[in-house]
Amino acid sequence: MLALPPGLDPDLLRSFVLIVEGGSFTRAAQAVGRTQSAVSMQIRRLEDMLGQPLLLRGTRGVEPTQHGLWLLERARRMLALNDEIHATFRQPEVAGAVRLGTPDDYAIRWLPGILARFAASHPAVQVEVICAPSNELVERLGEDELDLTLISEGNEPPGARVRWLWRGPLLWIGTEAAARRRPLPLALASSGCAWRQAAIGALDAADRPWRMTYTAASLSGSLAVALAGLAVTVAMPAPLPEGVSRLGAEEGLPPLPDFAIGLLRGPCSPVAEALAQHIEESFRLDLTIEPPLRA
């Protein structure tokens, strides 16, 4: 009789994914509530089981080997399926409607995977998605027009309890030709945007002259101007359309601060609470998000 291979423990795969995403055994241990030595033992068990080294310590922290990179993509899919099955059978039936706000910049980038899995595990819930700038979404949440919303750091109301989901660098995006113009032409959102304030603050601190060439309501509008070579904009780490690239010190641009994505809730119904927990879990597991990329 043919012997079956041993099954892969989801806990081992979860620790492996968290180590790769965070570049650190320490951060992974904190995320799973274990000691660093316990997480190290998990990785040794996984490597012994698969017969290949999966992680190496490099100049940028812990990095996956070629076998580790191959495993990473598949581990993410296995964990997503594992958690979907668990949620479907263990969570109580939730039904109703929930209103989710999100900045346009996040909607296409991250929401499709999150909402698809939520629909699979909560088929009786109807999600209404409203896209608007973070400052407007905060106002609409306060007026009970939303149940919960994603926001960019810098837009949270004083004293608000925000669940911070992700932190990463803000990047200059555009063409080298546009970046070398003086004053620097900018395509950014309206004056209430935290990204706009960060970009202008960095330029002023570096004494780099600038002028606001275009004001766009969304990142797609700013990228369109950048693609035309007419201005430089800012964006989060993400695949970029052909024709623009990340810019930095070589083009005379100052570094930009990191930013965070947060989840802000109103008075939560069971439906809204279920979606909030699902969003938090998706970000925690990095199921839809690439690791933060440094310029």
Side-chain angles (χ1 to χ4, degrees):
M1 185 175 179
L2 182 65
L4 296 175
L8 291 175
D9 186 343
D11 288 342
L12 303 185
L13 294 176
R14 200 179 304 278
S15 293
F16 167 74
V17 169
L18 289 170
I19 291 169
V20 175
E21 301 292 4
S24 165
F25 278 81
T26 302
R27 284 193 286 271
Q30 292 171 346
V32 298
R34 296 175 179 265
T35 64
Q36 183 175 336
S37 59
V39 170
S40 296
M41 289 181 61
Q42 284 185 310
I43 299 305
R44 284 198 294 272
R45 284 178 55 199
L46 186 60
E47 290 179 330
D48 290 344
M49 183 180 297
L50 298 177
Q52 296 290 345
L54 301 173
L55 298 171
L56 293 174
R57 296 189 181 275
T59 56
R60 295 183 296 174
V62 181
E63 298 178 343
T65 64
Q66 287 300 313
H67 286 99
L69 286 172
W70 187 92
L71 176 63
L72 179 62
E73 177 185 351
R74 291 154 181 83
R76 284 173 174 161
R77 295 204 299 263
M78 287 184 65
L79 287 171
L81 183 59
N82 176 83
D83 294 341
E84 178 184 330
I85 293 172
H86 186 272
T88 299
F89 284 91
R90 295 295 299 273
Q91 290 185 357
E93 179 68 18
V94 177
V98 59
R99 301 161 298 175
L100 170 65
T102 178
D104 177 75
D105 311 328
Y106 307 154
I108 297 176
R109 172 86 166 97
W110 289 324
L111 280 189
I114 291 175
L115 294 180
R117 285 191 302 277
F118 184 75
S121 59
H122 296 80
V125 174
Q126 178 183 350
V127 181
E128 179 184 359
V129 179
I130 296 92
C131 293
S134 290
N135 56 342
E136 181 179 330
L137 292 170
V138 170
E139 292 179 4
R140 296 184 69 168
L141 185 73
E143 294 171 357
D144 197 29
E145 296 178 8
L146 295 172
D147 298 301
L148 63 162
T149 185
L150 296 170
I151 61 169
S152 298
E153 185 178 20
N155 294 278
E156 63 275 13
R161 297 181 61 184
V162 184
R163 172 64 172 174
W164 297 111
L165 305 172
W166 184 85
R167 177 173 292 277
L170 199 59
L171 305 174
W172 294 107
I173 303 297
T175 63
E176 292 184 12
R180 297 188 187 280
R181 293 178 193 153
R182 288 185 176 271
L184 179 71
L186 296 177
L188 298 172
S190 60
S191 58
C193 175
W195 292 8
R196 175 186 173 121
Q197 296 167 3
I200 292 175
L203 292 170
D204 287 345
D207 200 24
R208 174 73 190 268
W210 58 270
R211 63 187 177 91
M212 194 61 60
T213 309
Y214 294 89
T215 299
S218 66
L219 178 61
S220 58
S222 297
L223 280 176
V225 176
L227 279 165
L230 301 175
V232 169
T233 189
V234 296
M236 68 188 77
L240 296 173
E242 186 176 353
V244 294
S245 60
R246 284 184 247 171
L247 306 168
E250 291 185 0
E251 292 78 28
L253 297 176
L256 291 166
D258 283 5
F259 77 99
I261 298 170
L263 182 65
L264 191 60
R265 309 187 197 184
C268 264
S269 65
V271 181
E273 180 65 26
L275 178 57
Q277 291 180 3
H278 177 83
I279 291 173
E280 291 179 19
E281 183 71 2
S282 293
F283 272 84
R284 187 180 72 81
L285 294 177
D286 263 346
L287 295 179
T288 62
I289 306 169
E290 294 181 352
L293 302 174
R294 297 288 169 177

